[in-house]
Amino acid sequence: MDEHDLAQRAAQGDREAFGELVARHQAGVYNVAYRMLGERREAEDATQEAFLRAFRAMHTLDPERPPGAWLKKIAVNVCLNRLERRGTLTLEDDEALPANDPGPESQTIAREQNHLIRAALLSLPARYRAAIELRHYQELSYIEMAETLNRPLSDIKSDLFRARSMLANILRKT
Amino acid sequence: MMEHLTETQLNEYLDKLMEATTLARTQAHLAECTDCREKLADLERVFQALEALPEEIPSHDLAPSILNALPRRSSLPGWQLAFSIQTGIGLGLLLRLFPLLTGYITSLMMGLTGQFIVPEVKFPNPIDLLFNVPVFHLAHASIPALPILATPANLSTWLILGIAASLLFVIGNFSLVFHNNPKGQIKGQK
């Protein structure tokens, strides 16, 4: 069954169809949450919360648009709410690189780079993280970002450019 | 050579949002300006680092816990609830007015145009309602197929209210069932 039919059936309250949407999109939604929150456990909780919100709002989903993108937008807003309720977090301990990583050198460099960029993302204010997430991972236009976050276009551009500038400074120092 | 590129220009250049003329001017400037090329390279590194970030896999399948947490029944959308209430009220009113209309139609047929027969509305005696009226109806089993039309106004008021409430209940529940399972398929709960 294609996404369009699944979304239509789920919008009419079909739990089986919604379950199929969860199965297909849980990884994508989880990654949004993990990039924004930096903790596996909390990312899983946020993923669940995003899907529950989506279930309640299924009747508002435009049937012409892919449900995956819609679900990820909901996830960004769920994460923003969570971030506003707490301060900035760093990467959790189990994400830290071991001192003597046994892998090949290239793998180690790649992991260091990944760790660095994740840590850099988590050092950004919540609004900036959302801007990076929507532009770089969900590939939204500036206008779509403004609609998703319900904020003025000028603010969105300012947040995005500032976030990139902060990330560039962090990367330059390494 | 024009002034250095602004942060906005550099970002819009990387986001490929520049119009052809602006793009050509920007490229020409970048070709000559080392400072701006360095700033652009910094931003490009950010783009590359973000793109290179691998996707993480959840530690376990999240679907079962999500499906378990779903509400068992979603609430009726507003329009269905409004439709049910309006239908119930409308049908109740129609039934309530029916005796008046039939009285008026009867009058018309009898040539008494202009006389509108309004049945007297009284609250019934509870004992009468609970005991005497059912006994009376049981004793006179030959009443018409639609007893509500033949009963006095005070009794029909109560019957109509009961019917309206029942209709509201049935329509409301039917709408809910249809909303949750539009194709009428019977499925086991997971």
Side-chain angles (χ1 to χ4, degrees), chain A:
Chain A
M1 185 174 291
D2 68 18
E3 297 264 286
H4 176 78
D5 291 338
L6 275 178
Q8 271 200 326
R9 281 177 52 195
Q12 289 162 343
D14 186 328
R15 298 163 70 89
E16 206 171 291
F18 188 76
E20 182 60 31
L21 282 178
V22 173
R24 291 187 189 186
H25 296 290
Q26 61 171 307
V29 171
Y30 170 80
N31 270 280
V32 172
Y34 185 57
R35 280 190 293 265
M36 286 191 68
L37 300 171
E39 277 188 344
R40 289 182 188 282
R41 186 61 189 269
E42 192 174 11
E44 288 169 3
D45 288 348
T47 302
Q48 176 164 327
E49 189 184 337
F51 276 110
L52 291 179
R53 269 198 207 181
F55 183 72
R56 284 192 288 268
M58 276 309 290
H59 60 281
T60 66
L61 169 61
D62 181 350
E64 302 306 317
R65 296 197 173 184
W70 180 71
L71 289 165
K72 286 179 183 175
K73 286 183 197 174
I74 292 175
V76 169
N77 280 304
V78 165
C79 293
L80 263 182
N81 291 344
R82 283 173 174 255
L83 288 168
E84 281 165 7
R85 288 199 295 265
R86 65 157 163 88
T88 306
L89 274 189
T90 54
L91 278 179
E92 60 191 11
D93 289 343
D94 67 358
E95 291 299 301
L97 282 175
N100 298 310
D101 192 64
E105 193 181 350
S106 61
Q107 249 184 357
T108 308
I109 292 168
R111 287 187 63 182
E112 276 174 3
Q113 180 75 8
N114 293 340
H115 179 76
L116 179 71
I117 194 70
R118 279 195 196 280
L121 273 173
L122 293 176
S123 72
L124 299 177
R127 287 191 347 249
Y128 292 6
R129 287 187 222 180
I132 291 287
E133 172 62 38
L134 291 173
R135 179 65 194 165
H136 285 267
Y137 296 102
Q138 301 187 29
E139 297 175 351
L140 300 191
S141 68
Y142 296 163
I143 292 171
E144 288 169 326
M145 289 166 66
E147 286 169 356
T148 301
L149 298 175
N150 199 22
R151 297 185 54 228
L153 182 60
S154 56
D155 285 8
I156 293 296
K157 287 167 78 169
S158 165
D159 285 356
L160 177 65
F161 300 164
R162 187 80 197 111
R164 285 172 177 166
S165 173
M166 286 173 75
L167 291 175
N169 283 339
I170 294 169
L171 292 179
R172 202 182 301 123
K173 287 174 191 165
T174 60

